[in-house]
Amino acid sequence: MQPLNRTGVSAFFLKGFSGYPALEHLLFPLCSVMYLVTLLGNTAIVAVSVLDVHLHTPMYFFLGNLSTLDICYTSTFVPLMLVHLLSSRKTISFTGCAIQMCLSLSTGSTECLLLAIMAYDRYLAICQPLRYRVLMNHRLCVLLVGAAWVLCLLKSVTETVIAMRLPFCGHHVVSHFTCEILAVLKLTCGNTLVSEVFLLVGSILLLPVPLAFICLSYLLILATIMRVPSAAGRRKALSTCSAHLAVVLLFYSTIIFMYMKPKSKEAHISDEVFTVLYAMVTPMLNPIIYSLRNKEVKEATKKAWGRSWTSR
């Protein structure tokens, strides 16, 4: 009863697309297929990068972590969203909402840092090729990824605790299909200044700062590539970066729209469409954009597939 006394609610109603029944019936098969593709594609990338010794390099170590993040992020809300699309009972408990909020914030924030780490990895590989294996050793890879996971988890726990301790005064209808922190904060009847400050600082540290670092890394990469005398060498160097740049553009364009745009009192259906794009399309496309075009991953996948059929 403590959450009920403190906040005035014991559960939240996730409004989502409930005002659009036809859209719900369309979204269920679409989102189910997208989630299945996300799980299969990213799980395959993780499995191949672990099983094939030729892919035990920093690039594929980071790629495996990116795929793991995509699986974790989509799994924080998609299964429940699919249930809600078929049900009129679209509730989530107070504790469940807090957990969902924290995990989605944590995995999304970690992906921001991981994309910057991957840009740094490409910078070292192209601009410092002779020292690359020494500079980007396994210990540094684990340290960078571990620090990103831990720091973002601590940040997300702090933001979630601050937001969920605010009084809601009986307001429990979240104009969203998930416990997204900005949508939940609109329900509170208390002072949200502290929470807004934490979110603003976090948004600055995890959006413009990593993006600026990525842009700087690619400016240095481009300057190095332009000095390569061979056209084939320039194409090869650019091909290792094109997939990462595509993922960065897709990821940051949608997340910046969601978290850096001016806030409005009323929720718009376009906001939810952009959130679906960010939350489901990006993790689904990552393995396709990043790896399935890569010859090394294709070769490793063929070998693993061949071994599985031979064992049968």
Side-chain angles (χ1 to χ4, degrees):
M1 294 297 293
Q2 188 177 356
L4 179 62
N5 294 334
R6 187 178 67 245
T7 66
V9 296
S10 59
F12 291 99
F13 177 85
L14 300 178
K15 184 178 178 181
F17 301 99
S18 57
Y20 307 87
L23 183 58
E24 285 189 320
H25 289 98
L26 176 65
L27 284 174
F28 179 78
L30 179 62
C31 291
S32 297
V33 171
M34 291 170 64
Y35 183 52
L36 182 61
V37 172
T38 299
L39 292 180
L40 293 177
N42 286 289
T43 300
I45 296 303
V46 174
V48 169
S49 63
V50 170
L51 295 175
D52 195 300
V53 294
H54 298 97
L55 300 184
H56 291 179
T57 63
M59 175 180 175
Y60 295 105
F61 174 75
F62 296 135
L63 181 57
N65 273 271
L66 181 65
S67 294
T68 303
L69 277 171
D70 287 336
I71 293 172
C72 293
Y73 177 76
T74 53
S75 297
T76 60
F77 72 92
V78 174
L80 183 62
M81 184 186 74
L82 292 176
V83 173
H84 286 174
L85 288 174
L86 296 180
S87 172
S88 58
R89 183 178 174 84
K90 306 177 190 296
T91 58
I92 183 172
S93 68
F94 183 88
T95 302
C97 184
I99 293 173
Q100 186 183 69
M101 180 188 298
C102 180
L103 292 179
S104 61
L105 282 172
S106 177
T107 50
S109 300
T110 305
E111 188 157 343
C112 293
L113 294 184
L114 185 59
L115 289 174
I117 293 171
M118 295 172 81
Y120 177 63
D121 172 68
R122 292 299 84 206
Y123 160 75
L124 290 181
I126 294 174
C127 300
Q128 304 285 340
L130 299 179
R131 302 172 58 202
Y132 173 67
R133 292 187 178 277
V134 176
L135 294 174
M136 189 57 74
N137 54 65
H138 181 69
R139 182 179 179 182
L140 179 61
C141 292
V142 174
L143 181 63
L144 289 173
V145 171
W149 280 85
V150 171
L151 289 175
C152 290
L153 179 60
L154 293 175
K155 164 195 161 293
S156 301
V157 168
T158 303
E159 291 174 345
T160 301
V161 169
I162 292 174
M164 300 304 282
R165 286 181 65 86
L166 292 169
F168 292 93
C169 304
H171 302 150
H172 67 284
V173 179
V174 181
S175 296
H176 216 279
F177 56 83
T178 182
C179 281
E180 199 267 343
I181 190 167
L182 294 180
V184 173
L185 283 176
K186 290 178 181 179
L187 304 181
T188 183
C189 54
N191 190 344
T192 61
L193 179 61
V194 175
S195 187
E196 289 175 355
V197 169
F198 266 88
L199 286 174
L200 178 61
V201 172
S203 296
I204 292 173
L205 292 177
L206 292 172
L207 294 175
V209 173
L211 188 57
F213 182 82
I214 292 171
C215 292
L216 176 60
S217 297
Y218 276 105
L219 284 175
L220 297 174
I221 288 171
L222 183 61
T224 301
I225 290 175
M226 296 305 294
R227 294 197 295 267
V228 176
S230 167
R234 288 196 295 269
R235 283 195 299 269
K236 183 179 179 180
L238 284 171
S239 67
T240 64
C241 302
S242 60
H244 180 256
L245 280 173
V247 171
V248 167
L249 289 173
L250 182 61
F251 179 85
Y252 274 98
S253 60
T254 50
I255 197 173
I256 285 175
F257 174 84
M258 288 305 304
Y259 285 94
M260 300 297 283
K261 67 183 179 65
K263 289 189 296 182
S264 60
K265 292 293 183 182
E266 296 297 327
H268 300 286
I269 192 66
S270 61
D271 292 348
E272 296 192 42
V273 171
F274 270 94
T275 303
V276 170
L277 176 67
Y278 159 62
M280 297 198 67
V281 175
T282 304
M284 182 185 67
L285 292 180
N286 279 351
I288 300 173
I289 294 174
Y290 223 118
S291 301
L292 298 184
R293 295 170 55 195
N294 187 294
K295 290 183 180 179
E296 292 178 329
V297 175
K298 285 182 178 180
E299 295 280 332
T301 304
K302 288 178 182 178
K303 289 179 182 177
W305 185 259
R307 284 197 298 266
S308 67
W309 274 104
T310 302
S311 63
R312 292 181 183 181

